[in-house]
Amino acid sequence: MPNHETKEKIENSALRAFMVFLSLMLQIGWFIWLGVYLRRYYFVLNSIVMIISWVLALHVYSRHMNSAYKLSWIVLILVLPVLGISMYAMFGSQLSHVWIRKYMDNQDNVAAMYLTDDESALNSLREQDYGLANQCQYIQKKVGYPLYQNTDIAFHNDTAVALEDLKTELAKAESFIFMEYHAIEDSVSWAGIEAILKEKAASGVEVRLLYDDVGSIFFVGKSFTKRLQQEGIQCRVFNPIYPILNTFMNNRDHRKIVVIDGKVGFTGGYNMADRYFNINSPYGYWKDTGIKLTGDGVKSLTAQFLEMWNATQKEKENQSQFFPQTDYIAQEPGFVQPYADAPLDSEIVGENVYLNIIKNAKHYVYITTPYFAISEQMMASLLNAARSGVDVRVILPHIPDKRIVQMVTRSYYEVLLSSGIKVYEYKPGFIHSKTFVADDELAIIGSSNMDYRSMNLNYECVGLIYKTGSEIDVKQDFINMIENSCIEVELKDWIKRPFFKKILESILTAFSTMF
């Protein structure tokens, strides 16, 4: 990409972010000025604010939500009432869900319209694992994404390999290409993809690209979308940010999805930016993973993409063409359930699935995640599993991309280690992979981190696989990291860390759900 385009991209993104920041500061300044101007009414106003803060704190306490989340808001509302009330109104209240639904009203329920429940797959799974079949049925009922057989899985433990595989499959496209990413960077890795998309669009293939505005703000210049449109590539932005505070700004599209002709799909933890493929990573070696699906399970990825695409357009279209019948016959006999989670209700499907995996594990649960700020329920589940003899291990970053988040993550180490859970830090760089694997049979690979944002605020996508053969690949990748790339955190050494770090970690943990 020419240097002037790179410079333009950086300048435009920086200017856009600065303008949003400046606007927000002006809004905050207005409230401060208003407070100073109304000082003469301090006693009356202060009394009103205190009454509101206590009523609101009681309301938060009565809500059915994560107790850590409750505590964070209650402390903020009572200690800093004006700030706490304002922030809760914008980001913590259920009003945010009203705005989300209003924004998403354009879409049809694609999953309900085009995905059929495969009772034969559920019945077949019940014969092998009745408990897991119940969980898969729960996912199907709550978010509408069914369980599939007749789907082959390829696990990518190296994003450079994943990128080349993606290019190969894109080059085969005959009908349509759907791509959805939290972050897209107009740079080296994208240039190779764009060249293929441009060629395919010119040959009549329908190409659609969707990216999240916040995730891509420093990566994509204002000319990016215009250029793609000129190349015949439909490009849209999910939830554009504006220099005005609004509740929906806090809910981002964190999914990573590619669908090719409805036959091949990709998902995982990596975005379409250079650092994810170790072309230019500021955090050492960037470790990430993903999966390629071939067969029936791709239908769910198609529905997930169309769900978000529909939210960005007013016109309706016949989308049945994107769910073709194929004569593909899978080589593996296992089960696949790609599913999505959205912040539209109080049902935390993503976390519930993780909890069930931990609860039902017999021998081991191995976890990789870049961010670790979990609920009390998740912590209790992990501790109970370890105390019951299950081998629980977690790999976390040694080199952080966000230092405050790493301090929050490390605040959990002592209780984890004290209960026999083994904690490792990935030393060569930053681990961004989000995986669960249990008992050589069940694995999850997707976009969802183990933090409050992924579980409650973002749009996420996950692939659950059972006895496909790739579960062993996920486990082996974990073991290879432990043996070659990780340092084990020892309790006897960890408790010796400086006292001020312990205090800081405790403070940050109290507000961990807000990061």
Side-chain angles (χ1 to χ4, degrees), residues 194-205:
E194 183 179 340
I196 299 173
L197 298 182
K198 180 180 178 181
E199 179 182 344
K200 286 297 172 180
S203 68
V205 174

Side-chain angles (χ1 to χ4, degrees), residues 248-265:
F248 193 20
M249 190 184 297
N250 204 29
N251 302 104
R252 309 313 315 178
D253 181 0
H254 197 242
R255 301 175 182 178
K256 293 87 176 171
I257 295 173
V258 177
V259 177
I260 302 161
D261 293 341
K263 302 175 181 178
V264 177

Side-chain angles (χ1 to χ4, degrees), residues 7 18 46 69 76 97 132 158 215 434 441 473 496 513:
K7 182 178 179 181
F18 174 73
N46 186 62
Y69 191 56
L76 183 61
H97 288 177
L132 180 59
D158 185 331
K434 309 101 165 39
E441 294 180 339
D473 297 333
K496 296 178 183 178
T513 57

Side-chain angles (χ1 to χ4, degrees), residues 264-285:
V264 177
F266 292 80
T267 190
Y270 56 91
N271 288 296
M272 191 53 61
D274 285 354
R275 67 182 60 182
Y276 295 89
F277 307 105
N278 288 294
I279 296 172
N280 181 21
S281 173
Y283 307 107
Y285 185 84

Side-chain angles (χ1 to χ4, degrees), residues 21 76 119 348 439 461:
F21 174 78
L76 183 61
E119 289 298 327
I348 311 173
D439 298 341
C461 62

Side-chain angles (χ1 to χ4, degrees), residues 428-471:
F430 183 66
I431 184 166
H432 192 254
S433 171
K434 309 101 165 39
T435 64
F436 263 63
V437 60
D439 298 341
D440 290 356
E441 294 180 339
L442 177 65
I444 282 184
I445 305 98
S447 68
S448 186
N449 299 311
M450 290 189 70
D451 62 2
Y452 187 83
R453 172 161 291 280
S454 277
M455 300 297 174
N456 295 268
L457 301 177
N458 288 341
Y459 291 84
E460 304 283 359
C461 62
V462 175
L464 181 152
I465 60 176
Y466 178 74
K467 290 188 176 180
T468 67
S470 291
E471 300 82 13

Side-chain angles (χ1 to χ4, degrees), residues 228-461:
L228 295 185
Q229 297 284 9
Q230 291 173 344
E231 294 173 351
I233 301 169
Q234 300 179 55
C235 183
R236 292 178 178 173
V237 181
F238 179 80
N239 193 7
I241 61 172
Y242 299 102
I244 300 174
L245 286 172
N246 68 84
T247 55
F248 193 20
M249 190 184 297
N250 204 29
N251 302 104
R252 309 313 315 178
D253 181 0
H254 197 242
R255 301 175 182 178
K256 293 87 176 171
I257 295 173
V258 177
V259 177
I260 302 161
D261 293 341
K263 302 175 181 178
V264 177
F266 292 80
T267 190
Y270 56 91
N271 288 296
M272 191 53 61
D274 285 354
R275 67 182 60 182
Y276 295 89
F277 307 105
N278 288 294
I279 296 172
N280 181 21
S281 173
Y283 307 107
Y285 185 84
W286 191 284
K287 171 64 177 178
D288 224 325
T289 55
I291 53 174
K292 178 176 76 172
L293 299 83
T294 307
D296 293 352
V298 178
K299 294 176 184 177
S300 287
L301 294 182
T302 305
Q304 290 170 35
F305 173 88
L306 290 172
E307 173 192 27
M308 306 304 277
W309 183 264
N310 291 350
T312 67
Q313 64 179 4
K314 294 182 180 179
E315 67 275 12
K316 303 294 183 179
E317 65 176 351
N318 180 6
Q319 298 178 330
S320 60
Q321 60 184 308
F322 303 123
F323 297 88
Q325 296 296 322
T326 67
D327 56 359
Y328 184 81
I329 300 177
Q331 298 178 5
E332 297 292 338
F335 300 84
V336 178
Q337 190 170 30
Y339 63 93
D341 200 6
L344 296 178
D345 53 36
S346 58
E347 190 77 17
I348 311 173
V349 174
E351 181 170 13
N352 288 341
V353 173
Y354 287 157
L355 289 170
N356 284 333
I357 291 174
I358 297 167
K359 179 182 177 180
N360 294 317
K362 300 177 182 65
H363 304 289
Y364 74 85
V365 176
Y366 296 161
I367 303 168
T368 67
T369 181
Y371 312 122
F372 192 87
I374 59 176
S375 66
E376 288 184 355
Q377 189 177 7
M378 180 68 74
M379 176 62 81
S381 183
L382 288 169
L383 299 184
N384 287 338
R387 291 164 180 164
S388 301
V390 176
D391 181 12
V392 182
R393 306 187 189 191
V394 185
I395 297 180
L396 300 161
H398 183 70
I399 299 175
D401 67 336
K402 303 177 183 68
R403 291 195 176 276
I404 291 180
V405 177
Q406 185 186 51
M407 284 189 281
V408 172
T409 294
R410 287 178 166 176
S411 70
Y412 294 90
Y413 282 10
E414 190 166 338
V415 64
L416 294 174
L417 294 169
S418 298
S419 300
I421 296 174
K422 295 182 179 180
V423 177
Y424 303 85
E425 290 189 346
Y426 184 77
K427 196 171 183 180
F430 183 66
I431 184 166
H432 192 254
S433 171
K434 309 101 165 39
T435 64
F436 263 63
V437 60
D439 298 341
D440 290 356
E441 294 180 339
L442 177 65
I444 282 184
I445 305 98
S447 68
S448 186
N449 299 311
M450 290 189 70
D451 62 2
Y452 187 83
R453 172 161 291 280
S454 277
M455 300 297 174
N456 295 268
L457 301 177
N458 288 341
Y459 291 84
E460 304 283 359
C461 62

